[in-house]
Amino acid sequence: MAIRIVLADDADLVIEGAQSVLNADHRFNVVGTARCMDDLLKTIEAGYPDVVVLSEWIHNLDILSAVESIHTVRPNLKVIVMGGLADGLLIRDLFSAGVSGYLYKSDDLCELLVTAIDTVLLDRP
């Protein structure tokens, strides 16, 4: 059975790039995309994903509030945040809020996105 993924970012290019990487691996099924928090929550409710890959710049909500909202809808959902900041305090706060993984956007998406998903599904940060 395929691992169900939802991608969320306010930039189409990031969504398309991540979707392209995931579609190349038969184990993954991108069941939805979102560009704002309202659409993300609806997509999560409708698509029953295993993992959400979320940009720290999701439209209309700060990232910590976004993670809290996601876990209100699906408390055990694995969330990976993709961010451009290397702020250790923010990353610590994200993990405290229930984020399963953090992916630095400047890293090689083709190499690390699949690894990040595999890792959080094993309950490792």
Side-chain angles (χ1 to χ4, degrees), residues 16-71:
E16 294 296 325
Q19 192 165 11
S20 177
V21 169
L22 295 172
N23 285 340
D25 189 320
H26 69 280
R27 297 175 302 142
F28 302 113
N29 180 19
V30 177
V31 295
T33 62
R35 286 165 186 77
C36 70
M37 198 60 205
D38 292 337
D39 290 345
L40 176 58
L41 294 176
K42 290 175 189 172
T43 303
I44 289 170
E45 289 174 340
Y48 296 100
D50 301 301
V51 178
V52 170
V53 179
L54 169 70
S55 168
E56 70 184 0
W57 299 111
I58 190 74
H59 181 68
N60 72 1
L61 201 58
D62 71 272
I63 189 61
L64 288 170
S65 297
V67 171
E68 183 178 297
S69 296
I70 290 167
H71 284 132

Side-chain angles (χ1 to χ4, degrees), residues 5-120:
I5 311 288
V6 169
L7 302 171
D9 196 302
D10 61 352
D12 288 338
L13 185 59
V14 173
I15 290 175
E16 294 296 325
Q19 192 165 11
S20 177
V21 169
L22 295 172
N23 285 340
D25 189 320
H26 69 280
R27 297 175 302 142
F28 302 113
N29 180 19
V30 177
V31 295
T33 62
R35 286 165 186 77
C36 70
M37 198 60 205
D38 292 337
D39 290 345
L40 176 58
L41 294 176
K42 290 175 189 172
T43 303
I44 289 170
E45 289 174 340
Y48 296 100
D50 301 301
V51 178
V52 170
V53 179
L54 169 70
S55 168
E56 70 184 0
W57 299 111
I58 190 74
H59 181 68
N60 72 1
L61 201 58
D62 71 272
I63 189 61
L64 288 170
S65 297
V67 171
E68 183 178 297
S69 296
I70 290 167
H71 284 132
T72 298
V73 173
R74 295 269 319 275
N76 297 320
L77 184 60
K78 304 290 186 189
V79 177
I80 297 173
V81 173
M82 288 190 302
L85 301 175
D87 179 353
L89 294 177
L90 173 62
I91 294 169
R92 179 203 64 198
D93 291 346
L94 287 168
F95 278 97
S96 294
V99 166
S100 301
Y102 186 85
L103 206 65
Y104 187 58
K105 278 189 177 180
S106 292
D107 289 336
D108 186 346
L109 183 67
C110 294
E111 234 179 81
L112 297 178
L113 180 58
V114 169
T115 301
I117 293 169
D118 287 339
T119 301
V120 300

